[in-house]
Amino acid sequence: MRFYIADCHFYHEALNTKMDKRGFASAEQMNEYMMQRWNEKVRNCDETVILGDFSFGDAMQTNSLLKQLNGKKYLIEGNHDRYLKYRRFDKNLFEWIEPYKEIHDNGRKVILSHYPIMCYNGQYRLNENGEPKTYMLYGHVHDTRDELLIDRFIRITKQTSFLDFEGKEKTIPCCMINCFCVFSDYAPLTLDEWIENDQMRRKYLSEEFPA
């Protein structure tokens, strides 16, 4: 089983009172809860792709953290993953570390980037049932005004029509999913789970913030 998650920010005390306002009493309490949620979901035989900003801790803190989390870990590098620069950090605790990557998950292409990509590779590809063949998974923007702008962009894009090579009018597919950990109550989710989570969240946003 493969899971995805973004912007955990382990050890980042400020996120409890600023920006995310996660509300934990301390970074230690936040870390413990996120580790619990991770290990409840992920088994040792599973894989988890982290879409950046995994840890705000130092090299040794992050080494210890990774050893306590179940499964194989893969990292898309985020702007706050500063522990990667230090010699004492053990990069072998990740199966790979990349700034950007394209993989496949149960017959679907998955674009992996810490930063949202508005026009991503394979965006227009659909299967024989008209379902998306490509998903763009991102993080970085958390649940901020930037995410609201991205949501607006997605809605406008999906309402925009074009003529295909056969002259048929179609609307533009746009399958961008923010895998922000708070959206899943800090648990890594499968691609199918993130698709469902994203559909429910964007439905709520469309009702609360109409375009």
Side-chain angles (χ1 to χ4, degrees):
M1 193 76 74
R2 180 182 295 144
F3 300 97
Y4 305 88
I5 196 165
D7 299 294
C8 296
H9 284 261
F10 282 96
Y11 293 99
H12 201 162
E13 182 79 59
L15 290 188
N16 286 316
T17 56
K18 300 176 182 178
M19 193 172 173
D20 296 350
K21 296 184 178 178
R22 297 185 183 185
F24 293 98
S26 64
E28 290 75 17
Q29 185 187 71
M30 178 179 72
N31 291 349
E32 288 177 10
Y33 184 73
M34 290 197 293
M35 288 172 61
Q36 176 189 335
R37 293 288 290 158
W38 182 298
N39 288 334
E40 285 174 347
K41 186 85 175 184
V42 181
R43 301 166 299 173
N44 282 327
C45 59
D46 292 330
E47 302 176 331
T48 302
V49 177
I50 301 156
L51 292 157
D53 288 3
F54 172 66
S55 170
F56 208 64
D58 61 27
M60 298 308 292
Q61 287 172 322
T62 306
N63 285 341
S64 175
L65 172 62
L66 284 164
K67 291 174 183 177
Q68 295 177 71
L69 295 173
N70 291 345
K72 295 180 179 180
K73 277 80 70 178
Y74 304 77
L75 180 68
I76 296 295
E77 187 174 352
N79 54 303
H80 283 116
D81 291 311
R82 297 167 187 160
Y83 54 87
L84 295 173
K85 300 176 183 178
Y86 297 102
R87 200 176 304 172
R88 297 179 73 184
F89 176 69
D90 183 4
K91 292 186 177 181
N92 292 320
L93 293 169
F94 288 116
E95 300 297 313
W96 49 249
I97 302 169
E98 300 283 353
Y100 169 95
K101 200 168 182 72
E102 299 181 7
I103 63 173
H104 286 85
D105 189 318
N106 290 328
R108 294 159 296 187
K109 187 172 188 174
V110 183
I111 309 299
L112 304 169
S113 172
H114 180 58
Y115 307 99
I117 299 175
M118 304 303 206
C119 299
Y120 53 91
N121 187 21
Q123 179 174 343
Y124 283 76
R125 293 176 185 168
L126 305 174
N127 65 20
E128 59 276 8
N129 298 319
E131 299 164 335
K133 292 180 68 174
T134 308
Y135 288 85
M136 195 280 120
L137 305 187
Y138 65 94
H140 186 61
V141 295
H142 295 225
D143 188 14
T144 62
R145 61 184 176 276
D146 294 325
E147 174 60 12
L148 289 176
L149 289 171
I150 292 169
D151 176 71
R152 185 179 298 177
F153 170 84
I154 291 171
R155 280 187 271 166
I156 292 170
T157 301
K158 287 182 173 181
Q159 294 166 2
T160 301
S161 61
F162 72 102
L163 296 178
D164 68 9
F165 294 115
E166 298 175 349
K168 295 179 181 178
E169 187 174 4
K170 295 182 178 179
T171 52
I172 301 176
C174 191
C175 299
M176 299 173 62
I177 299 177
N178 184 354
C179 296
F180 180 37
C181 63
V182 175
F183 292 159
S184 62
D185 192 18
Y186 305 96
L189 300 182
T190 65
L191 178 58
D192 287 324
E193 288 172 332
W194 273 117
I195 292 169
E196 183 179 0
N197 179 293
D198 185 70
Q199 289 172 345
M200 292 175 60
R201 191 177 63 81
R202 294 199 186 281
K203 183 177 183 295
Y204 166 78
L205 286 175
S206 67
E207 294 169 353
E208 290 294 308
F209 306 98

